[in-house]
Amino acid sequence: MLDREQPEPITSRLLDESCAGTAIRHGFFTRRGGVSKGIYEGLNVGLGSHDERAHVVENRTRVCGWFPLPTERLATPHQIHSSDVIIIDQNYDGARPKGDAMVTGTPGILVGVLTADCGPVLMADPQAGVVAAAHAGWRGAIDGILENTIDVMEQCGARRDRITACVGPSISGPNYEVGPEFVDRFVRDNAENGAYFTPSANESRSNFDLQSFILDRLAGAGITAQQSGQCTYADESMFYSYRRTTHRGESDYGRQISAIGIVDGGSVGPAF
């Protein structure tokens, strides 16, 4: 990946169409277009990684430049796999508060989440001018991060019947093997959750369809949504993956970013 490359994020056709004619832009960024090297090669934006900080800062600058907005207007949380949602307004000071979703109605600010297998979810009510980015791993999804994000969007003036959402690149079911205690946790919460598990090639283990689980949670909350369908584990050239790194015994991993904001101008990436 050459330094001269620039980010080429994926965009959602659903979000593009619903936000047409507005200043709302979004992107699910990949590894492409960054300056990081080694195991982080590409567009690693993880401030919590052990990558060279100058590389991470440059990568985040490139993300902001695609919209375009100044780097200091990119708000990302200190993610903790919670159901906590943060409102970002004109008083944003660059801090990284703990939580797993951000909502804003303030023009000129990007809200984003970092992932490396978990589900990034971008949402917008273009009529109200309210957008959100949520980090939905299995724990956050089952604990209500998506529903809480929608509630906070409504507090900011959105209406759920106008919200559209997209679940971005994340780990797919065939690559997400879990143990019986994981399955039990989901089935105890709701017996119908058993439908998200299929038998694994390894005895007593199962494969979990996180992408469908997130999509169905959004549908259950009354949100029109789609998923991109890409698997972060399977496509190493495009995406970082925590689980792939773990299976290889590598020391660390990069993070990709998904971001949305109310901005002006610029071009758009390839829509799915």
Side-chain angles (χ1 to χ4, degrees):
M1 299 180 186
L2 303 176
D3 290 0
R4 66 173 179 269
E5 292 181 354
Q6 294 300 313
E8 296 180 0
I10 300 163
T11 65
S12 157
R13 192 174 304 278
L14 175 63
L15 284 173
D16 281 342
E17 291 176 350
S18 68
C19 297
T22 75
I24 295 173
R25 295 190 73 207
H26 75 281
F28 295 95
F29 289 79
T30 69
R31 295 181 68 158
R32 295 182 177 174
V35 300
S36 293
K37 306 298 181 184
I39 59 174
Y40 308 105
E41 183 179 7
L43 194 73
N44 173 34
V45 297
L47 292 169
S49 72
H50 299 301
D51 193 3
E52 292 187 35
R53 186 173 181 84
H55 288 171
V56 175
V57 171
E58 170 61 20
N59 291 337
R60 291 170 73 96
T61 298
R62 292 186 177 202
V63 167
C64 293
W66 180 84
F67 280 92
L69 281 173
T71 308
E72 61 270 16
R73 306 310 284 168
L74 171 60
T76 57
H78 177 174
Q79 295 167 195
I80 54 175
H81 294 276
S82 69
S83 58
D84 299 335
V85 183
I86 304 141
I87 296 175
I88 301 296
D89 59 22
Q90 65 276 9
N91 297 315
Y92 176 65
D93 60 1
R96 294 176 60 230
K98 290 183 178 180
D100 285 87
M102 286 184 158
V103 173
T104 191
T106 302
I109 290 180
L110 293 174
V111 289
V113 290
L114 279 56
T115 57
D117 282 339
C118 292
V121 183
L122 300 180
M123 309 187 204
D125 176 349
Q127 186 170 329
V130 177
V131 299
H135 162 248
W138 73 263
R139 188 181 302 277
I142 201 170
D143 286 346
I145 185 61
L146 300 169
E147 293 83 354
N148 288 356
T149 302
I150 296 160
D151 288 345
V152 173
M153 290 181 72
E154 288 187 314
Q155 293 171 24
C156 294
R159 274 181 23 193
R160 69 181 59 212
D161 63 323
R162 296 193 307 237
I163 296 172
T164 52
C166 184
V167 184
S170 44
I171 194 168
S172 63
N175 292 306
Y176 198 171
E177 187 180 76
V178 297
E181 69 288 345
F182 187 102
V183 179
D184 290 345
R185 167 72 174 81
F186 273 74
V187 173
R188 283 198 308 271
D189 186 72
N190 185 334
E192 295 182 358
N193 285 341
Y196 299 104
F197 298 91
T198 55
S200 167
N202 294 321
E203 187 177 357
S204 80
R205 298 183 69 79
S206 303
N207 290 91
F208 175 51
D209 189 349
L210 173 65
Q211 295 179 352
S212 292
F213 182 70
I214 294 171
L215 195 66
D216 287 348
R217 294 286 292 221
L218 290 166
I223 302 302
T224 300
Q226 70 169 168
Q227 61 180 349
S228 70
Q230 291 102 340
C231 176
T232 48
Y233 185 98
D235 194 343
E236 183 174 3
S237 67
M238 287 283 283
F239 306 110
Y240 301 107
S241 167
Y242 167 77
R243 181 160 287 225
R244 187 176 61 234
T245 288
T246 300
H247 287 170
R248 291 179 175 175
E250 294 173 337
S251 60
D252 197 13
Y253 58 99
R255 285 80 157 168
Q256 50 256 345
I257 190 170
S258 302
I260 189 167
I262 306 167
V263 300
D264 292 308
S267 58
V268 297
F272 55 83

